[in-house]
Amino acid sequence: MKHNIAWFDIPVADLDRAIAFYSAVLGAAVSKEQSGSIPIGVLPTPDGQKMGCLVTGDAARPSLDGVMLWFEVEGRLKAALAAALANGGELLGDVHAIGGYGFRAEVRDSEGNRIALYSSKDQ
């Protein structure tokens, strides 16, 4: 299925800390790369594609008030939530059903952004 989101940047204050957080939560390595002269952390999709990045800089300010990205952690929702909390995240909303669509938990990431962890199962 095609999506209309081409790429996204997640603002972070500490790139290495954010890479550790997202690698643990997603259960896949976030790679540290260079975009020109700017270091970034590239986020993988479950099939190994590149979907977005972690970025620092004056214009990159983490926030609980902006867009909330949902990360699919299919079949490992509770493990991903535990990894988030163990890597500097904070629980904002416990695991709960979202109609007939599955389950999610809202988390503040290690940098101060609000994200959701999603799975069709509550485990």
Side-chain angles (χ1 to χ4, degrees):
M1 177 168 65
K2 291 207 169 234
H3 298 277
N4 61 354
I5 295 174
W7 189 261
F8 58 84
D9 293 348
I10 298 175
V12 302
D14 182 315
L15 184 60
D16 292 328
R17 179 178 62 206
I19 287 173
F21 176 88
Y22 281 95
S23 292
V25 169
L26 297 176
V30 173
S31 61
K32 191 171 188 178
E33 299 181 14
Q34 289 288 125
S35 177
S37 63
I38 300 170
I40 61 173
V42 178
L43 297 157
T45 63
D47 63 355
Q49 301 296 309
K50 297 176 180 183
M51 68 176 181
C53 71
L54 308 170
V55 63
T56 61
D58 293 339
R61 292 187 187 92
S63 171
L64 291 174
D65 301 321
V67 172
M68 181 171 63
L69 296 175
W70 291 37
F71 289 94
E72 184 175 315
V73 293
E74 189 59 41
R76 48 180 299 280
L77 181 56
K78 290 181 181 172
L81 181 55
L85 299 178
N87 284 276
E90 176 186 346
L91 181 65
L92 298 176
D94 206 358
V95 174
H96 61 277
I98 48 175
Y101 299 101
F103 299 84
R104 77 170 191 174
E106 288 186 35
V107 174
R108 181 194 51 79
D109 74 6
S110 63
E111 306 308 297
N113 297 298
R114 182 175 59 120
I115 62 171
L117 306 177
Y118 167 79
S119 177
S120 65
K121 304 174 187 100
D122 68 346
Q123 329 192 21

